[in-house]
Amino acid sequence: MAASSCSYAFSYDVFLSFRGSDTRHGFVGNLYKALHDKGIHTFIDDEKLQGGEEITPTLMRAIEESRIAITVLSHNYASSSFCLDELASIIDCVERKGLLVLPVFYNLDPSDVRHQKGSYGEALAKHEERFKAKERLEKWKMALHQVANLSGYHFKQGNGYEYEFIGRIVELVSSKINRALLHVAEYPVGLESQMLEVMKLLDVGTDDGVHVIGIHGIGGIGKTTLAVAIYNLVANHFDGLCFLENVRENSEKHGLQHLQSIVLSELVGEKQMNIASVKHGVSMIQHRLQQKKVLLIVDDVDKHEQLRAVVGKPDWFGPGSRIIVTTRDEQLLASHEVKRTYEVKELNKNDALQLLTWKAFKTEKVDPSYVEVLNHVVTYAAGLPLALEVIGSNLFGKNIQEWKSAINQYERVPNNQILKILKVSFDALEEEEKSVFLDIACCFKGYELEEVEDILHIHHGDCMKYHIKVLVDKSLLKLSRHGTMVTLHDLLENMGKEIVRQESPKDPGKRSRLWFHEDIIQVLEDNTGTSEIEIIHLDCPLLDNEEIIEWNRKAFKKMKNLKTLIIKNGHFFNGPKYLPNSLRVLEWWRYPSHDLPSDFRPKKLATCKLPESCFTSLELVGLLKKFMSMRILNLDKSKCLTQIPDVSGLPNLEKLSFQHCQSLTTIHGSVGFLYKLKTLSAFGCTKLMSFPPIKLTSLEKLNLSRCCSLESFPEILGKMENLRGLQLEYTAIKELPSSIHNLSRLQELQLANCGVVQLPSSIVMMPELTDIIAWKWKGWQWLKQEVGEEKVGSIVSSKEIRGIPPNLKHFLATKCESLTASSTSMFLNQELHEAGETQFYLPGERIPEWFDHQSKGPSISFWFRNKFPDKVLCLVIGPMDDESGMFRPMVIINGNKSFPGSGYFMIHMDHTYIFDLKRIECEDSLYEVPLENEWNHAEVTIVGLEETSIVKECGIHVFKQESSMEDIRFSDPYGKRKLEDDHNSLEIQNLQLVKKHRFVDMDVS
């Protein structure tokens, strides 16, 4: 279950509203203590605050700065005008602030509140005689009506233990205020007992100092998993949270200042942290955090300077803070004077068996015939979680004989050596799968998947994708959340590197792959390379990057089988005198010469990347003649290039990039006829003024953005049906040619910040065009003349929209001032949006007449039953006071079940944002309705990233063809809300709501 998100703008977790004479010294006093004991920051007024007729600014501020309000509705609550004003303010904050209200009906029938009868009817009658202001009375009645309609708690004296009732309230409140959970593990087993041990060390119930706790153990034992679980458990005890992951890797890649900036950004809340030096970062952490109670987890530390830079001494942090450090090195903790340490234990037999079973069979129940072999594997794996996961994945789908055969193999490897345990899974791979794994483990961890596929395709052919899938399935590789980056566990990376190191433990020149910068420099300086070397990947650490590498320029001569040479960091004073013709991938940043070796004739070179090189255009002409088999050419940031020369000799080219070539003015016409080209990028070529005609039948991506001098789009000489994305942002393009219709399968057109663009009318006929990004587009003119229009040159004088592409889903027209009212009406067409999944940003403030309901402010409501409507269209106007603001929608079901959107969107003043709710990703499903066959209240609230950001107006529309309108209402379907007044109906609600932790009813008998 996803945890509620937490905002640091709140001063209180809970605000208590109650009638002091009824409950202060009894129920409310006990409830306050129970909340306080759980660390839930609760506002309870003192008796002096209720001395006047109206609520004070202090009390009003406390309501607004609370996450939850608990209203204890007792017999005499309504007799107090102060209480009623307080309740009205609370209900007002439900809409304005997203306040969650939990009513408690204490020794009171909820129907008395709902229908204002009994003591509530009598009290309101007296108020009506006393007060002349009808508006105030109506506010009170409405507030009572609304609070009674919320799911809450019902308690009658003598019908159950009060402390149990209070305990359930506290439990629910605690679940609401918890921070968002971090992902622990796919199959988290064996954590409970270890978490209890660490909790004893943390001692989170006391604030008498700062505790630093060390969690240590071998790689793959579950240190990070345990730290994440602890984080989730105790997060709501602290004012600031930071989980600093992968410290070892990130400090090597980005430096210690980067880690310091993350810590400060997470714990202070400032996005841009400019840290001049590590010492400056130390001073900032110490100064900014010494008064703040924080939870800081520093994961995978391997050097003292990392701890000194981000943890330092306990007095850097405020009282009650807790610091958790995970590391493989126990001595590192001792040297930093960490006294409280815990060594992560291996899984016991039952937990190990459970983990192995889930990993190997994807279920906890297995055929009894497998019990023996399962126990055999558990014994051999010795409780190491990573080993169990890898072995389980390796044996997924295998029969018993294959299990026994694998176990026999495992037993030939010493069971106390983690490396060799993992190597069993490696040995089970096919030869090419092994090679792919070693390539990635040694050289390409953390690379984008597309780039890995490009490189390994050259080595292993088309079956490379299959190999990667096999490695992912066997838990030897992992892909990032969105499947764009390739990574693997440190232990598996170390295993792969150790396998290669063992090829020649003492002589790196005889290994198949080189990645460690000291080994590579040694081989290049001593000229000890051999034909065994197939891949060199040099990426010097930051500290060594500026050191000049003195090397033997003939060092590559002996490497006759070198296929991939990648040099990303490293200061070479001279270029090579020899490069092997076996090269298939050459990537050399800041290549230190104006030419490649004269005898370099690589027949199979498929990838050549020379970013930030010093080649001139003339020198490039001679270079390209060597590359007949070239598939990928990258010349990014080549400052000396003034033109892209003739590339007709590269007929196999698939990717061509010359981004940020600041001196580039001319592109040879042959670029437009590379029939295999899939990706073409001239991003950021600021002096490029024209582009030759194109007939690129294979092209999928074209990026000309930031070519700010480019005034015309190239003519399209034939059908280009593979182009999906066209990026033309921040260009000076004045027109799109009529031949744009040749891009018949174009899906995305980006024209932001392009001034006035002349468009052919044929653009509205593109059947697959779904996205148009036109941010700050000053206007458009249409090239084709319509009947009866005055012609000005070749341009039609009208600026009206001629039509809309039939499948347009995403249209961003922020600050498009020239978009006329009639054109805006076209973009607000009902049929267009009822097709579903639209997301439009439009200038102006307008809610279409066909919208079902509209409301002032950031919230709008409707009622539904049976299921949440399949298609709900929302509209937002605003913000009210700011030029722009960041917002996200939040759907609230029945007042307390929240579905926040996963991302924010920007909306400007005097703009309209219309979107299909289905386009907003939520952690939980909107379609799991808590109360079936009952009317459910749905509220869509537009929440600002900043507290001051408030939208002006909202609208909502339910698509009639997708939903039965008998199950949709835009006003309260109960009229005066004749809800479940009888005991049986309350019992039915109780059974449903307790399951969802929404409603507690102690009305037992």
Side-chain angles (χ1 to χ4, degrees), residues 421-467:
I421 291 176
L422 297 177
K423 192 172 181 294
V424 173
S425 296
F426 172 82
D427 290 338
L429 299 173
E430 299 294 335
E431 286 304 314
E432 279 206 348
E433 292 166 1
K434 290 180 180 179
S435 185
V436 170
F437 172 78
L438 293 177
D439 290 346
I440 295 173
C442 295
C443 302
F444 305 120
K445 179 184 179 183
Y447 268 53
E448 294 293 316
L449 177 61
E450 182 178 356
E451 188 171 6
V452 172
E453 290 178 344
D454 285 339
I455 295 171
L456 297 187
H457 180 272
I458 297 166
H459 284 259
H460 306 288
D462 292 332
C463 53
M464 161 274 312
K465 288 189 176 182
Y466 170 77
H467 296 328

Short mmCIF file of all heavy atoms in Angstrom, two decimals, residues 421-467:
data_model
loop_
_atom_site.label_atom_id
_atom_site.label_comp_id
_atom_site.label_asym_id
_atom_site.label_seq_id
_atom_site.Cartn_x
_atom_site.Cartn_y
_atom_site.Cartn_z
N ILE A 421 30.03 -18.64 -5.93
CA ILE A 421 28.60 -18.97 -5.91
C ILE A 421 27.90 -18.27 -7.08
O ILE A 421 27.12 -18.88 -7.83
CB ILE A 421 27.95 -18.55 -4.57
CG1 ILE A 421 28.48 -19.43 -3.43
CG2 ILE A 421 26.44 -18.64 -4.64
CD1 ILE A 421 27.97 -19.04 -2.06
N LEU A 422 28.22 -17.00 -7.25
CA LEU A 422 27.59 -16.26 -8.34
C LEU A 422 28.07 -16.75 -9.70
O LEU A 422 27.32 -16.72 -10.67
CB LEU A 422 27.91 -14.76 -8.18
CG LEU A 422 27.35 -14.11 -6.90
CD1 LEU A 422 27.79 -12.66 -6.82
CD2 LEU A 422 25.84 -14.20 -6.85
N LYS A 423 29.32 -17.23 -9.75
CA LYS A 423 29.89 -17.66 -11.01
C LYS A 423 29.18 -18.90 -11.57
O LYS A 423 29.22 -19.16 -12.78
CB LYS A 423 31.39 -17.94 -10.85
CG LYS A 423 32.13 -18.13 -12.17
CD LYS A 423 33.63 -18.20 -11.91
CE LYS A 423 34.37 -18.36 -13.25
NZ LYS A 423 34.10 -19.62 -13.91
N VAL A 424 28.53 -19.66 -10.69
CA VAL A 424 27.78 -20.81 -11.17
C VAL A 424 26.70 -20.36 -12.15
O VAL A 424 26.48 -20.98 -13.19
CB VAL A 424 27.16 -21.59 -9.99
CG1 VAL A 424 26.24 -22.68 -10.49
CG2 VAL A 424 28.26 -22.17 -9.12
N SER A 425 26.02 -19.28 -11.83
CA SER A 425 25.00 -18.76 -12.73
C SER A 425 25.64 -18.25 -14.02
O SER A 425 25.08 -18.42 -15.11
CB SER A 425 24.23 -17.62 -12.05
OG SER A 425 23.52 -18.10 -10.94
N PHE A 426 26.79 -17.66 -13.89
CA PHE A 426 27.50 -17.21 -15.09
C PHE A 426 27.87 -18.39 -15.98
O PHE A 426 27.71 -18.35 -17.20
CB PHE A 426 28.76 -16.44 -14.67
CG PHE A 426 29.68 -16.09 -15.80
CD1 PHE A 426 29.44 -14.99 -16.59
CD2 PHE A 426 30.79 -16.88 -16.07
CE1 PHE A 426 30.30 -14.68 -17.64
CE2 PHE A 426 31.64 -16.58 -17.12
CZ PHE A 426 31.39 -15.46 -17.90
N ASP A 427 28.34 -19.47 -15.36
CA ASP A 427 28.75 -20.64 -16.14
C ASP A 427 27.58 -21.31 -16.85
O ASP A 427 27.78 -22.05 -17.81
CB ASP A 427 29.45 -21.65 -15.22
CG ASP A 427 30.81 -21.15 -14.75
OD1 ASP A 427 31.38 -20.28 -15.44
OD2 ASP A 427 31.30 -21.63 -13.71
N ALA A 428 26.38 -21.06 -16.37
CA ALA A 428 25.21 -21.67 -17.01
C ALA A 428 24.80 -20.95 -18.30
O ALA A 428 23.94 -21.44 -19.03
CB ALA A 428 24.04 -21.68 -16.03
N LEU A 429 25.43 -19.83 -18.57
CA LEU A 429 25.08 -19.07 -19.76
C LEU A 429 25.71 -19.67 -21.02
O LEU A 429 26.73 -20.36 -20.96
CB LEU A 429 25.56 -17.61 -19.62
CG LEU A 429 24.98 -16.80 -18.46
CD1 LEU A 429 25.69 -15.45 -18.37
CD2 LEU A 429 23.48 -16.60 -18.63
N GLU A 430 25.09 -19.36 -22.17
CA GLU A 430 25.71 -19.69 -23.45
C GLU A 430 26.93 -18.79 -23.65
O GLU A 430 27.07 -17.75 -22.99
CB GLU A 430 24.70 -19.47 -24.59
CG GLU A 430 23.45 -20.33 -24.50
CD GLU A 430 23.73 -21.81 -24.68
OE1 GLU A 430 24.75 -22.15 -25.31
OE2 GLU A 430 22.93 -22.62 -24.17
N GLU A 431 27.81 -19.18 -24.55
CA GLU A 431 29.07 -18.47 -24.71
C GLU A 431 28.85 -16.99 -25.04
O GLU A 431 29.53 -16.13 -24.48
CB GLU A 431 29.93 -19.14 -25.80
CG GLU A 431 30.55 -20.45 -25.37
CD GLU A 431 31.40 -20.32 -24.11
OE1 GLU A 431 32.21 -19.36 -24.03
OE2 GLU A 431 31.24 -21.14 -23.18
N GLU A 432 27.95 -16.69 -25.96
CA GLU A 432 27.73 -15.29 -26.32
C GLU A 432 27.06 -14.52 -25.18
O GLU A 432 27.32 -13.33 -25.00
CB GLU A 432 26.90 -15.17 -27.60
CG GLU A 432 27.73 -15.33 -28.86
CD GLU A 432 27.12 -14.62 -30.06
OE1 GLU A 432 25.95 -14.20 -29.97
OE2 GLU A 432 27.81 -14.52 -31.08
N GLU A 433 26.20 -15.18 -24.39
CA GLU A 433 25.59 -14.54 -23.24
C GLU A 433 26.67 -14.18 -22.21
O GLU A 433 26.62 -13.12 -21.60
CB GLU A 433 24.54 -15.45 -22.62
CG GLU A 433 23.31 -15.66 -23.51
CD GLU A 433 22.43 -16.82 -23.06
OE1 GLU A 433 22.76 -17.46 -22.05
OE2 GLU A 433 21.43 -17.09 -23.74
N LYS A 434 27.64 -15.08 -22.04
CA LYS A 434 28.76 -14.78 -21.15
C LYS A 434 29.52 -13.54 -21.62
O LYS A 434 29.87 -12.66 -20.84
CB LYS A 434 29.71 -15.97 -21.09
CG LYS A 434 29.19 -17.19 -20.37
CD LYS A 434 30.24 -18.29 -20.39
CE LYS A 434 29.75 -19.55 -19.68
NZ LYS A 434 30.76 -20.63 -19.70
N SER A 435 29.77 -13.51 -22.92
CA SER A 435 30.53 -12.40 -23.47
C SER A 435 29.79 -11.08 -23.29
O SER A 435 30.39 -10.06 -22.91
CB SER A 435 30.82 -12.66 -24.95
OG SER A 435 31.64 -11.65 -25.47
N VAL A 436 28.48 -11.08 -23.54
CA VAL A 436 27.67 -9.87 -23.35
C VAL A 436 27.71 -9.45 -21.89
O VAL A 436 27.87 -8.26 -21.56
CB VAL A 436 26.21 -10.11 -23.81
CG1 VAL A 436 25.31 -8.95 -23.39
CG2 VAL A 436 26.17 -10.29 -25.32
N PHE A 437 27.57 -10.39 -20.97
CA PHE A 437 27.61 -10.06 -19.55
C PHE A 437 28.94 -9.44 -19.16
O PHE A 437 28.99 -8.42 -18.46
CB PHE A 437 27.34 -11.31 -18.71
CG PHE A 437 27.54 -11.07 -17.23
CD1 PHE A 437 26.58 -10.40 -16.50
CD2 PHE A 437 28.70 -11.47 -16.59
CE1 PHE A 437 26.76 -10.14 -15.15
CE2 PHE A 437 28.90 -11.23 -15.25
CZ PHE A 437 27.93 -10.56 -14.52
N LEU A 438 30.05 -10.04 -19.60
CA LEU A 438 31.37 -9.52 -19.25
C LEU A 438 31.60 -8.14 -19.85
O LEU A 438 32.19 -7.27 -19.21
CB LEU A 438 32.46 -10.48 -19.70
CG LEU A 438 32.50 -11.84 -18.97
CD1 LEU A 438 33.58 -12.74 -19.56
CD2 LEU A 438 32.72 -11.65 -17.47
N ASP A 439 31.11 -7.92 -21.07
CA ASP A 439 31.23 -6.60 -21.68
C ASP A 439 30.56 -5.54 -20.81
O ASP A 439 31.13 -4.48 -20.53
CB ASP A 439 30.59 -6.58 -23.07
CG ASP A 439 31.38 -7.39 -24.10
OD1 ASP A 439 32.54 -7.73 -23.81
OD2 ASP A 439 30.81 -7.70 -25.15
N ILE A 440 29.32 -5.83 -20.39
CA ILE A 440 28.56 -4.86 -19.60
C ILE A 440 29.14 -4.71 -18.20
O ILE A 440 29.30 -3.58 -17.70
CB ILE A 440 27.07 -5.27 -19.54
CG1 ILE A 440 26.46 -5.21 -20.94
CG2 ILE A 440 26.30 -4.38 -18.59
CD1 ILE A 440 25.06 -5.75 -21.04
N ALA A 441 29.46 -5.82 -17.56
CA ALA A 441 29.98 -5.77 -16.19
C ALA A 441 31.29 -4.99 -16.12
O ALA A 441 31.53 -4.23 -15.18
CB ALA A 441 30.18 -7.18 -15.65
N CYS A 442 32.15 -5.17 -17.12
CA CYS A 442 33.47 -4.53 -17.08
C CYS A 442 33.45 -3.09 -17.60
O CYS A 442 34.22 -2.26 -17.12
CB CYS A 442 34.47 -5.34 -17.91
SG CYS A 442 34.81 -6.98 -17.25
N CYS A 443 32.60 -2.80 -18.57
CA CYS A 443 32.74 -1.53 -19.29
C CYS A 443 31.49 -0.68 -19.42
O CYS A 443 31.61 0.53 -19.64
CB CYS A 443 33.29 -1.81 -20.70
SG CYS A 443 34.87 -2.67 -20.71
N PHE A 444 30.29 -1.27 -19.33
CA PHE A 444 29.12 -0.50 -19.73
C PHE A 444 28.03 -0.42 -18.66
O PHE A 444 26.88 -0.11 -18.97
CB PHE A 444 28.53 -1.08 -21.02
CG PHE A 444 29.53 -1.18 -22.14
CD1 PHE A 444 29.84 -2.40 -22.72
CD2 PHE A 444 30.21 -0.05 -22.57
CE1 PHE A 444 30.79 -2.49 -23.73
CE2 PHE A 444 31.15 -0.13 -23.58
CZ PHE A 444 31.45 -1.35 -24.17
N LYS A 445 28.37 -0.67 -17.42
CA LYS A 445 27.40 -0.49 -16.35
C LYS A 445 26.98 0.98 -16.27
O LYS A 445 27.82 1.88 -16.30
CB LYS A 445 27.99 -0.93 -15.01
CG LYS A 445 27.04 -0.74 -13.83
CD LYS A 445 27.71 -1.10 -12.52
CE LYS A 445 26.76 -0.88 -11.34
NZ LYS A 445 27.41 -1.16 -10.04
N GLY A 446 25.68 1.22 -16.16
CA GLY A 446 25.17 2.58 -16.07
C GLY A 446 24.96 3.25 -17.41
O GLY A 446 24.51 4.40 -17.46
N TYR A 447 25.23 2.57 -18.51
CA TYR A 447 25.00 3.14 -19.84
C TYR A 447 23.51 3.11 -20.17
O TYR A 447 22.75 2.29 -19.65
CB TYR A 447 25.75 2.32 -20.90
CG TYR A 447 27.14 2.80 -21.23
CD1 TYR A 447 28.10 3.02 -20.25
CD2 TYR A 447 27.51 3.04 -22.56
CE1 TYR A 447 29.37 3.44 -20.56
CE2 TYR A 447 28.79 3.46 -22.88
CZ TYR A 447 29.72 3.67 -21.88
OH TYR A 447 30.99 4.09 -22.19
N GLU A 448 23.12 4.00 -21.08
CA GLU A 448 21.77 3.94 -21.64
C GLU A 448 21.63 2.65 -22.44
O GLU A 448 22.56 2.23 -23.15
CB GLU A 448 21.50 5.14 -22.53
CG GLU A 448 21.45 6.47 -21.80
CD GLU A 448 20.27 6.56 -20.86
OE1 GLU A 448 19.16 6.16 -21.26
OE2 GLU A 448 20.45 7.01 -19.73
N LEU A 449 20.47 2.03 -22.34
CA LEU A 449 20.23 0.76 -23.02
C LEU A 449 20.47 0.88 -24.53
O LEU A 449 21.07 -0.01 -25.15
CB LEU A 449 18.81 0.27 -22.75
CG LEU A 449 18.38 -1.02 -23.47
CD1 LEU A 449 19.26 -2.19 -23.05
CD2 LEU A 449 16.92 -1.33 -23.16
N GLU A 450 20.02 1.97 -25.12
CA GLU A 450 20.18 2.15 -26.58
C GLU A 450 21.65 2.15 -26.97
O GLU A 450 22.04 1.55 -27.97
CB GLU A 450 19.51 3.45 -27.02
CG GLU A 450 19.57 3.68 -28.52
CD GLU A 450 18.87 4.96 -28.95
OE1 GLU A 450 18.27 5.63 -28.08
OE2 GLU A 450 18.94 5.29 -30.15
N GLU A 451 22.49 2.81 -26.18
CA GLU A 451 23.92 2.86 -26.51
C GLU A 451 24.57 1.50 -26.32
O GLU A 451 25.42 1.09 -27.11
CB GLU A 451 24.62 3.91 -25.65
CG GLU A 451 26.05 4.17 -26.07
CD GLU A 451 26.69 5.35 -25.37
OE1 GLU A 451 26.05 5.93 -24.46
OE2 GLU A 451 27.82 5.71 -25.73
N VAL A 452 24.18 0.78 -25.26
CA VAL A 452 24.70 -0.58 -25.06
C VAL A 452 24.33 -1.46 -26.24
O VAL A 452 25.16 -2.22 -26.76
CB VAL A 452 24.16 -1.18 -23.75
CG1 VAL A 452 24.53 -2.66 -23.64
CG2 VAL A 452 24.72 -0.42 -22.55
N GLU A 453 23.10 -1.34 -26.69
CA GLU A 453 22.66 -2.15 -27.83
C GLU A 453 23.43 -1.80 -29.10
O GLU A 453 23.78 -2.68 -29.89
CB GLU A 453 21.16 -1.97 -28.04
CG GLU A 453 20.32 -2.60 -26.94
CD GLU A 453 18.83 -2.36 -27.13
OE1 GLU A 453 18.46 -1.47 -27.93
OE2 GLU A 453 18.04 -3.06 -26.47
N ASP A 454 23.72 -0.51 -29.29
CA ASP A 454 24.50 -0.09 -30.46
C ASP A 454 25.88 -0.73 -30.45
O ASP A 454 26.35 -1.26 -31.47
CB ASP A 454 24.63 1.44 -30.49
CG ASP A 454 23.35 2.13 -30.92
OD1 ASP A 454 22.51 1.47 -31.56
OD2 ASP A 454 23.20 3.33 -30.61
N ILE A 455 26.54 -0.67 -29.31
CA ILE A 455 27.91 -1.19 -29.22
C ILE A 455 27.93 -2.70 -29.34
O ILE A 455 28.71 -3.28 -30.12
CB ILE A 455 28.56 -0.73 -27.90
CG1 ILE A 455 28.72 0.79 -27.87
CG2 ILE A 455 29.93 -1.41 -27.71
CD1 ILE A 455 29.16 1.35 -26.54
N LEU A 456 27.05 -3.36 -28.59
CA LEU A 456 27.09 -4.83 -28.57
C LEU A 456 26.53 -5.44 -29.84
O LEU A 456 26.87 -6.58 -30.18
CB LEU A 456 26.32 -5.34 -27.34
CG LEU A 456 26.92 -4.93 -25.99
CD1 LEU A 456 26.19 -5.64 -24.85
CD2 LEU A 456 28.40 -5.23 -25.91
N HIS A 457 25.71 -4.69 -30.56
CA HIS A 457 25.25 -5.18 -31.86
C HIS A 457 26.43 -5.37 -32.80
O HIS A 457 26.50 -6.32 -33.59
CB HIS A 457 24.24 -4.21 -32.46
CG HIS A 457 23.72 -4.63 -33.79
ND1 HIS A 457 24.35 -4.29 -34.98
CD2 HIS A 457 22.64 -5.37 -34.15
CE1 HIS A 457 23.69 -4.80 -35.99
NE2 HIS A 457 22.63 -5.45 -35.52
N ILE A 458 27.38 -4.46 -32.70
CA ILE A 458 28.57 -4.54 -33.54
C ILE A 458 29.41 -5.77 -33.18
O ILE A 458 30.01 -6.41 -34.05
CB ILE A 458 29.40 -3.25 -33.39
CG1 ILE A 458 28.57 -2.05 -33.89
CG2 ILE A 458 30.72 -3.36 -34.15
CD1 ILE A 458 29.14 -0.72 -33.50
N HIS A 459 29.40 -6.14 -31.90
CA HIS A 459 30.18 -7.29 -31.44
C HIS A 459 29.44 -8.61 -31.65
O HIS A 459 30.05 -9.62 -32.01
CB HIS A 459 30.50 -7.14 -29.95
CG HIS A 459 31.60 -6.17 -29.67
ND1 HIS A 459 32.89 -6.56 -29.40
CD2 HIS A 459 31.60 -4.83 -29.63
CE1 HIS A 459 33.64 -5.49 -29.19
NE2 HIS A 459 32.88 -4.42 -29.32
N HIS A 460 28.11 -8.59 -31.41
CA HIS A 460 27.38 -9.86 -31.30
C HIS A 460 26.21 -9.99 -32.27
O HIS A 460 25.53 -11.02 -32.25
CB HIS A 460 26.87 -10.03 -29.87
CG HIS A 460 27.94 -9.90 -28.83
ND1 HIS A 460 28.90 -10.87 -28.63
CD2 HIS A 460 28.21 -8.90 -27.96
CE1 HIS A 460 29.71 -10.46 -27.65
NE2 HIS A 460 29.32 -9.28 -27.23
N GLY A 461 25.95 -8.98 -33.08
CA GLY A 461 24.88 -9.10 -34.06
C GLY A 461 23.50 -8.89 -33.46
O GLY A 461 23.32 -8.45 -32.33
N ASP A 462 22.48 -9.25 -34.24
CA ASP A 462 21.08 -8.98 -33.87
C ASP A 462 20.62 -9.74 -32.63
O ASP A 462 19.67 -9.32 -31.97
CB ASP A 462 20.16 -9.33 -35.04
CG ASP A 462 20.35 -8.39 -36.22
OD1 ASP A 462 20.73 -7.23 -35.97
OD2 ASP A 462 20.12 -8.81 -37.36
N CYS A 463 21.26 -10.87 -32.30
CA CYS A 463 20.80 -11.66 -31.15
C CYS A 463 21.21 -11.03 -29.82
O CYS A 463 20.88 -11.55 -28.75
CB CYS A 463 21.32 -13.08 -31.24
SG CYS A 463 23.10 -13.20 -31.46
N MET A 464 21.91 -9.88 -29.89
CA MET A 464 22.34 -9.21 -28.67
C MET A 464 21.16 -8.85 -27.76
O MET A 464 21.23 -8.99 -26.54
CB MET A 464 23.14 -7.97 -29.07
CG MET A 464 23.31 -6.90 -28.01
SD MET A 464 21.92 -5.74 -27.97
CE MET A 464 21.73 -5.34 -29.70
N LYS A 465 20.03 -8.40 -28.36
CA LYS A 465 18.87 -8.03 -27.54
C LYS A 465 18.34 -9.25 -26.79
O LYS A 465 17.92 -9.14 -25.63
CB LYS A 465 17.78 -7.42 -28.42
CG LYS A 465 18.09 -6.02 -28.92
CD LYS A 465 16.88 -5.40 -29.60
CE LYS A 465 17.17 -3.97 -30.02
NZ LYS A 465 16.00 -3.31 -30.63
N TYR A 466 18.35 -10.38 -27.44
CA TYR A 466 17.91 -11.60 -26.76
C TYR A 466 18.84 -11.92 -25.60
O TYR A 466 18.38 -12.30 -24.51
CB TYR A 466 17.87 -12.76 -27.75
CG TYR A 466 17.67 -14.11 -27.09
CD1 TYR A 466 16.42 -14.49 -26.63
CD2 TYR A 466 18.75 -14.98 -26.89
CE1 TYR A 466 16.23 -15.71 -26.01
CE2 TYR A 466 18.56 -16.20 -26.27
CZ TYR A 466 17.31 -16.56 -25.83
OH TYR A 466 17.13 -17.78 -25.21
N HIS A 467 20.14 -11.77 -25.82
CA HIS A 467 21.09 -12.05 -24.75
C HIS A 467 20.84 -11.15 -23.54
O HIS A 467 20.88 -11.61 -22.39
CB HIS A 467 22.53 -11.86 -25.24
CG HIS A 467 22.93 -12.80 -26.33
ND1 HIS A 467 22.43 -14.08 -26.42
CD2 HIS A 467 23.80 -12.66 -27.37
CE1 HIS A 467 22.96 -14.69 -27.47
NE2 HIS A 467 23.79 -13.85 -28.06
#
